[in-house]
Amino acid sequence: MNQWKAWMRKRSPGFWGFLFLFLLAAVTAWMAWWTGFASQDAWSMPLSGKVIVVDPGHGGKDGGAVSRDGLVEKEVALSISLKLRDYLQEAGALVILTRETDQDLADVGARKRKAQDLHRRAQLVKTSDADAFISVHLNAVPSSRWSGAQTFYYPTLEDNQQLARYIQRELIRNLENTTRQARHSGEVYILKTSPVPSALVEVGFLSNPQEAARLAQEPYQNLLAASIYEGVVHFFAYKEEGGEELSEDR
């Protein structure tokens, strides 16, 4: 100890000044690194703290639409929803799925099965303290000429329209096969009753053979899920950072 004290007494004022500047530079560099690390982490987790309910349409006895080749809506909707869940979770969101298997939410033997199923999906949104709700479906009409993914909203909340437009913008940009715009959904119970920003995405037409063939492919399902995810991220950036408000023609 005495040797240490003697060594310290022999150091010149210049030595102590150099040591002080060295330590100051080291602390400053560490703080800059930590700030950059924290910012990078926040950027890589843009949905941290968000609760998002994802609803794969139909399920169980209710298969939904079916393509000419036997592709069933409930199966594709679930596959895309699971992929969407993974994207959202990787961005920090807590994701609640209304179903994770081939089943609906109605009781066994329920007389009004469809009504009970929809009611329970809506109740899950209301009781989950969610920040957003996304329902995934596939379209079908008598004519085979129509195609293209399209996002729908019900104007109970102003944010519903913006959420749908952000998702639709990414579908248009990434898929490069649709010019459809987000539009009012009409009387869709699960959208009309939702207390949080909500959108229903019809990811394509099973009644169109070419689009049905794409919808059966996993890479295309991944692209659809990624597009919906990107739309959700941009929507929350708009909400929290004052980003651009999308108009009808964007």
Side-chain angles (χ1 to χ4, degrees), residues 140-162:
V141 293
S143 173
S144 63
R145 63 177 291 199
W146 303 109
S147 65
Q150 189 166 23
T151 311
F152 295 85
Y153 64 91
Y154 193 84
T156 46
L157 301 174
E158 290 183 8
D159 283 340
N160 292 351
Q161 188 179 64
Q162 286 301 306

Side-chain angles (χ1 to χ4, degrees), residues 184-206:
H184 187 299
S185 66
E187 296 292 321
V188 176
Y189 174 79
I190 202 165
L191 293 183
K192 186 177 180 180
T193 59
S194 173
V196 301
S198 305
L200 186 149
V201 187
E202 297 275 6
V203 296
F205 284 77
L206 287 175

